[in-house]
Amino acid sequence: MRTFLYYALLLLVFIAVSCSKQTKTEPLAGYPALSTVTEQTKDGKSLIGVVNPQSDHIVIPPAEYKSVKADNYTIVCTKNDNMLEVFKTNGETIGCFEMFTPWSANGNYYLGVRYINKTYYFPEKDLVVSTQNVHNEYNCMLLENTEGWAVYDYDGNFLWQAPQNLGIIRNSKVPTQIWLAIESNDKRPSCALYAADGSGYNVIPAAKWAKLKKTLKKVKEITPTAYAAATDEFDKF
């Protein structure tokens, strides 16, 4: 009886060992406050997850990722189809993208792209904004939403909500200066001008606006109701 129990126990131990996963833990590249855990399953798959080694909290559950890397704000997990699953360092999802790029030349933000959809992540504001249409100026970006165009600076500060029907007029001599132009719906339209933050309200009468429109050059359609242009006569607006 004892011999039977002995071999039965050995069998149970063998089964437990053979079914267990082989794991490897190492600091997360780019953000060593967290760790990656790599598990090898019985069928040879490699699963990678992210944990907090101090609390053993699972930040990102193990999945079939080709690689996992991070920086101070994001964790980028590359899937086998080369899609990128991107998370904040606390594990919250930012999105799934074909491309995900940090930008720091004129601010601190990330851009994720998937097909025609663009997602901006401003880490210092903990802000995620998605859009299909965007227009970039030197000091601000305009992101289309259901109400028109949300104007942000490159640090994620919300400046103003502009309407759908919009002209973005740049000073060709001083490219950092822009007007946001909103035409009236009159037969001979006048035009209201705003700075990027919605200040500097000024109405140009119809006759003067008709002349100033003729100074616009490099006119580019952004959407059927929005355009960007430049002028050498910016000070006359």
Side-chain angles (χ1 to χ4, degrees):
M1 184 67 178
R2 290 182 179 177
T3 302
F4 173 79
L5 291 175
Y6 173 78
Y7 282 107
L9 182 59
L10 282 179
L11 178 61
L12 290 174
V13 171
F14 174 79
I15 293 173
V17 171
S18 62
C19 291
S20 66
K21 300 173 182 177
Q22 299 179 14
T23 62
K24 180 177 70 173
T25 302
E26 54 189 355
L28 174 58
Y31 195 73
L34 300 177
S35 297
T36 55
V37 177
T38 304
E39 300 178 349
Q40 298 295 332
T41 64
K42 289 190 302 178
D43 55 0
K45 293 180 179 179
S46 180
L47 307 179
I48 306 176
V50 177
V51 300
N52 185 326
Q54 300 299 320
S55 63
D56 290 330
H57 171 68
I58 298 175
V59 179
I60 300 174
E64 288 188 75
Y65 296 125
K66 293 171 64 175
S67 66
V68 176
K69 60 182 181 179
D71 59 20
N72 288 334
Y73 301 108
T74 64
I75 303 172
V76 180
C77 303
T78 304
K79 301 177 68 176
N80 288 332
D81 57 1
N82 288 321
M83 291 294 289
L84 306 175
E85 288 187 353
V86 183
F87 304 86
K88 303 174 187 177
T89 52
N90 64 3
E92 292 182 15
T93 299
I94 296 175
C96 187
F97 309 108
E98 297 165 352
M99 181 188 73
F100 187 77
T101 308
W103 295 85
S104 59
N106 49 3
N108 182 23
Y109 66 96
Y110 296 79
L111 171 61
V113 178
R114 184 172 185 180
Y115 187 44
I116 62 172
N117 301 302
K118 303 172 182 66
T119 297
Y120 290 84
Y121 174 47
F122 302 94
E124 294 179 2
K125 298 295 181 182
D126 195 25
L127 175 66
V128 178
V129 184
S130 296
T131 184
Q132 290 188 352
N133 289 310
V134 60
H135 177 76
N136 295 91
E137 287 292 336
Y138 281 86
N139 295 328
C140 66
M141 62 174 70
L142 293 89
L143 308 180
E144 188 179 29
N145 57 24
T146 56
E147 299 177 15
W149 296 90
V151 187
Y152 293 89
D153 68 17
Y154 288 101
D155 289 318
N157 295 300
F158 176 77
L159 302 179
W160 193 48
Q161 177 64 51
Q164 286 282 359
N165 297 310
L166 186 67
I168 304 161
I169 301 174
R170 183 188 310 117
N171 186 343
S172 57
K173 299 177 182 177
V174 186
T176 56
Q177 297 180 347
I178 64 169
W179 285 119
L180 301 182
I182 303 172
E183 281 192 357
S184 68
N185 293 322
D186 302 318
K187 186 174 181 180
R188 297 186 64 220
S190 60
C191 183
L193 297 180
Y194 298 83
D197 62 359
S199 65
Y201 174 71
N202 179 36
V203 176
I204 300 178
K208 181 179 179 182
W209 176 237
K211 293 180 180 178
L212 288 175
K213 282 186 74 174
K214 294 179 181 179
T215 72
L216 299 182
K217 59 184 182 179
K218 299 180 180 179
V219 179
K220 174 186 175 183
E221 181 181 287
I222 304 171
T223 69
T225 58
Y227 68 89
T231 178
D232 294 331
E233 307 295 331
F234 190 84
D235 294 338
K236 295 181 180 180
F237 277 68

